[in-house]
Each structure stands twice: as C-alpha cells, then as structure tokens.
Amino acid sequence: MPDPCEVLPTADGPRRPAAGAHDVLLSADRVILGGSGAVVPRGAVLVRDGAIVWTGPLDRLPPELGGDRAREGCDAADGGRSERVGHCGHAGCVEHVRLPGASLLPGLIEGHTHLALDAGPDPMGALARRLGAGEYEGVLALMRANAARMAASGITTARDLGAPAHLEHILRQEIDDGRSPGPHLVGSGIPLTTPGGHCAVMGGACDSDEAVADLVRRNRGQGAQWMKIMVTGGFLTAASSPFHSQFSAQRLRYAVRAAHDAGLMVAAHAHGTQGIVRAVEAGVDSVEHGTWMTPDGFRVDRDTVALMAERQVALSTTVNHRARGATGRLPWEQRLEQLQVMRAAGVSLVVSTDSGIGGTPHDSLSRALDLYRDLGLSALEVIETATGGTANALGLGGVTGRIAPGLRADLVAVPGDPRTDLALLHRPLLVMVAGRTVRTA
Ligand SMILES: [Zn+2]
Ligand SMILES: [Zn+2]
C-alpha cells in the first residue's frame, strides 16, 4: 500500500499540499520566548509558511489551529502513534515535533560576520589571492559552507559586514529560496574604505563624494540593508591605522547621509577613540568593535558614550570565544570595563564575533556567549541579549529575535535548560530558519 503521506504526482503535476498542510507544531519542556524573560513550561510553537502563528502551553493550542489533531499526530499516516509525522499533505494535518527534555528558544543572531573570510591564519590574504585569480565561484562556495556551519550551530540571522562582488546577495537569495542552508542574511555589500585602506581588497575604495554615492547605489541595488564604513583602519590591514579616521569629518557625514537617503543603515568599523567620536558625530547606526584605543592606551570618551545612548547607536561587541584569555592588544579586563561603561550609560549591545577572522570560525558564537556572564548577566539575560536584544539593536525587532506570533520562525532547540547551562547551546537538537529545518539531531 502506498504511503498515504507521500506527495503523489497527478496529471497536473505534483499534488499541492492543501492550505495549512505545512503547519509544524514544536513542543518542548519549556519555551524561552526571548526579550521579556518569560518562559512557558510544557510550551509549544506553531509554525506556518515560515512564520510563528501561535505559542503557548501545548494543551491550550486552539482547535481552529489544529489543536486535537496536532496533539495526536496524523492518523492518516499511522494512527497517530508516531512521535513525528512528516509533511503529509492532508488538509488540516499538523506535523508535531516533540522535543522531550528540551528547550525551545529564538535562534541566535550573529551581529557581525564575514562569510567570505576563512577564519584561517591569513583570511584577508587568502581572500585577496582568490579574488586576484578570479575565483569568484570559489569564494561563493566558501561563503555557502560558512553559512551552513552557522545555521547548524543555531545562528538563524547574520549580518555580513563586508564581502566582495555582492556575492552575499547571491547567497541570500539561495538561502531564502531554500536552495542552500544558512541563516537569514542581512548584508552590507562592499564596505566603503579609502584607496589602500582597511579591506580595500573587497573593492570599496573611494576618494571622492561621487565615488561614495556610486558605491551606495551599487550596494543598494544589490539588496544591501546596511552600509559598512571602515571609519578607522584595522589590524588586518598593515598599511592602515586602527586609531585614526581614514576619512575627513566632511566625507564621513556625506557617506552617512547618502546611505541613509538610500534607506541603508550605517555600520562604522571603528577601533580608535578619534574614529569612534567622528563616526558617532556623523550619525552612524552602529559602532563595530568600539575598542576606544589610542596610540598610547585606552580612552573611553564619556560624552560620546552618552551621545551613543541618546541617538540609539548600538555597540557591536565583536567578542569571540578566545577573548576572556586575551592579554595582548585588548586585555579582557579592559574590554569588560568598556562594555560595562557603555551598557551602564544605556548603549544597546549587538552580540557579534567578527567570525571569519583568524581563529574565529563561523559556528563559534555560542562558545562566546559565556563571556557575557562576566558583565553580570544571568544565562537567561545572555540569551535575551543574543536574540531579542541584538534584533532590536539592529532594527530587526519586528521581524525576529523572539518567539511571538507574526515573527519569522527562527528557532533553536537544545537538550536541557540553558538557563542553568549555556553550554547546551553548543549542540542544538534542532535549528529552524524561517520555518525551514536546517538541523535535526
Ligand atoms: Zn496527514
Ligand atoms: Zn569585521
């Protein structure tokens, strides 16, 4: 007897599942909603067409949403005995994924990544060599692999802050269409820099307002939602200074205005205090790194911190899993103090790792989360900062970051209660991006 739950071909092509047939109900010992501190015991989440349509205690799922059948499973398939019923195509059927012992929570958000970098000893050099040899397909293949690792590790949204040739736009479409596994991508396209400046290898060197306007237009045309400006130099580009602004204050203001006029938000790469001050004054939306370095030590500018809080300029932490042991250029104690000063002043944190740089692979965000405990946060507060908090700071709070009806179904299940053990996030049982399951244990 043929499996009644297979999608059978007919004369008109494959039988289309009836409306609602793709509903998936996930139930677990607890649902951590994110953003609010609320946790629902024996909770469930109903997913339809990539979005969350309902969440609450499992025994309260309304009948009109398939309540009884969802709880019992699809009887057409196997009499309702199975723990897990596949997409069956029957009108009114709900696939019920039971996750005993587990917690469901919003997927993690990586606030700063570079999919085109390989996390090896010389990521920028490796990228330059590939681009020099015209290996764009090779770079795209690397980005695909990195995106897949990210999603498998529980990251369901990622902001890519610098990739060459609009490749992340191609990948974003593949991911959104379900052709490649990966987190939902928010991209910045080609980063703006100066000739010979930080990350000029990615193709965004500009030395006039006209060139800046053209780069903004090209990025916007390729689906970018952010504009990345390399306000200061970086440590990965030998000829640039991480301490000082690469741009005049006038050029920076021009670039920020051009990006905002095009509907893009602006992320400023800025290490040095002088560069951070200039970026915030120019009106950027997020400061990346923000390490308050000067040629002779650290100097947190309190007026600028106050201005960041007032203008809701987020601070993207770029703290990786190795940071706690750091003693070199940026000792952890120093970094912790900076983060505490900014948080206390009301600056929102974007949780990020700058993955792709040496030693920071794309699936390492969950391993960095424990470091935020050093700020005095509970494990639940860390989870909320890395999900709803980061979504809000990136302007995505109405789209993802929490488990609530109407938001994208970006979900992670972990085996146990991460409120008592953040390390559970290292091995998710299930990851769902926009309703698509990208990992099952
Ligand atoms: Zn069925
Ligand atoms: Zn970066």
Side-chain angles (χ1 to χ4, degrees):
M1 184 185 143
D3 182 345
C5 280
E6 246 173 61
V7 175
L8 301 170
T10 68
D12 320 319
R15 189 181 65 191
R16 307 291 301 169
H22 280 78
D23 288 9
V24 178
L25 182 76
L26 303 141
S27 64
D29 282 16
R30 65 198 66 77
V31 175
I32 297 171
L33 299 179
S36 61
V39 177
V40 180
R42 288 173 298 286
V45 182
L46 185 66
V47 174
R48 175 181 297 168
D49 296 332
I52 296 164
V53 291
W54 179 87
T55 186
L58 177 61
D59 58 12
R60 303 261 184 84
L61 179 65
E64 67 272 20
L65 290 175
D68 295 343
R69 298 196 74 178
R71 280 190 287 275
E72 290 160 14
C74 170
D75 51 6
D78 65 356
R81 290 184 302 273
S82 70
E83 281 289 297
R84 188 191 165 97
V85 178
H87 284 141
C88 58
H90 300 128
C93 274
V94 176
E95 176 188 8
H96 185 178
V97 180
R98 289 183 173 87
L99 299 156
S103 303
L104 273 166
L105 56 145
L108 301 177
I109 300 177
E110 167 64 88
H112 183 143
T113 187
H114 300 279
L115 287 166
L117 298 182
D118 65 8
D122 179 20
M124 210 65 92
L127 177 63
R129 280 189 293 280
R130 283 195 175 102
L131 294 175
E135 293 170 6
Y136 290 88
E137 265 307 321
V139 176
L140 185 55
L142 171 69
M143 294 172 73
R144 266 190 210 109
N146 287 337
R149 285 182 77 172
M150 271 188 154
S153 76
I155 296 167
T156 55
T157 300
R159 186 175 58 145
D160 187 295
L161 285 182
H166 306 293
L167 294 175
E168 102 278 7
H169 182 50
I170 297 172
L171 182 56
R172 177 172 53 244
Q173 290 173 317
E174 291 182 4
I175 291 170
D176 287 352
D177 295 350
R179 284 176 282 147
S180 293
H184 181 75
L185 293 180
V186 175
S188 70
I190 298 172
L192 168 61
T193 188
T194 51
H198 185 44
C199 291
V201 63
M202 291 185 184
C206 294
D207 57 2
S208 69
D209 286 353
E210 292 70 32
V212 169
D214 184 58
L215 181 63
V216 168
R217 253 194 310 276
R218 280 186 286 139
N219 279 334
R220 183 75 192 89
Q222 295 292 328
Q225 288 162 272
W226 283 76
M227 183 76 188
K228 171 81 174 289
I229 304 181
M230 299 300 186
V231 174
T232 67
F235 295 100
L236 294 185
T237 305
S240 69
S241 160
F243 308 116
H244 299 105
S245 174
Q246 305 195 107
F247 297 92
S248 68
Q250 184 274 336
R251 174 71 40 80
L252 206 50
R253 277 197 301 273
Y254 177 85
V256 171
R257 202 169 49 236
H260 282 165
D261 286 351
L264 304 179
M265 293 176 84
V266 178
H269 161 102
H271 279 290
T273 301
Q274 186 246 19
I276 299 169
V277 171
R278 199 168 272 189
V280 173
E281 282 173 352
V284 304
D285 301 290
S286 74
V287 170
E288 306 302 311
H289 315 297
T291 49
W292 303 101
M293 290 176 169
T294 71
D296 41 36
F298 298 92
R299 187 174 66 81
V300 178
D301 185 281
R302 304 272 174 157
D303 291 344
T304 301
V305 170
L307 196 56
M308 288 174 74
E310 185 192 316
R311 293 187 175 173
Q312 297 187 300
V313 179
L315 185 280
S316 174
T317 58
T318 61
V319 164
N320 63 45
H321 62 289
R322 295 166 289 116
R324 190 179 267 149
T327 53
R329 203 160 53 208
L330 183 58
W332 178 235
E333 247 167 62
Q334 199 76 46
R335 185 57 172 157
L336 205 51
E337 192 186 312
Q338 297 173 348
L339 293 174
Q340 258 148 352
V341 166
M342 290 186 276
R343 257 193 97 235
V347 175
S348 301
L349 298 188
V350 167
V351 171
S352 63
T353 65
D354 208 357
S355 52
I357 65 164
T360 306
H362 293 81
D363 55 3
S364 59
L365 171 62
S366 70
R367 282 185 280 150
L369 293 182
D370 193 59
L371 278 71
Y372 293 84
R373 303 284 308 271
D374 294 3
L375 288 168
L377 302 183
S378 70
L380 181 59
E381 286 168 333
V382 172
I383 290 168
E384 287 168 355
T385 306
T387 56
T390 293
N392 287 339
L394 294 176
L396 298 171
V399 181
T400 189
R402 289 171 296 125
I403 296 181
L407 298 196
R408 205 162 57 212
D410 295 337
L411 305 167
V412 167
V414 298
D417 190 346
R419 290 176 300 175
T420 53
D421 184 6
L422 273 176
L424 292 171
L425 290 167
H426 303 176
R427 36 176 212 281
L429 294 170
L430 173 146
V431 181
M432 187 178 263
V433 178
R436 231 176 241 125
T437 302
V438 294
R439 178 195 183 116
T440 45

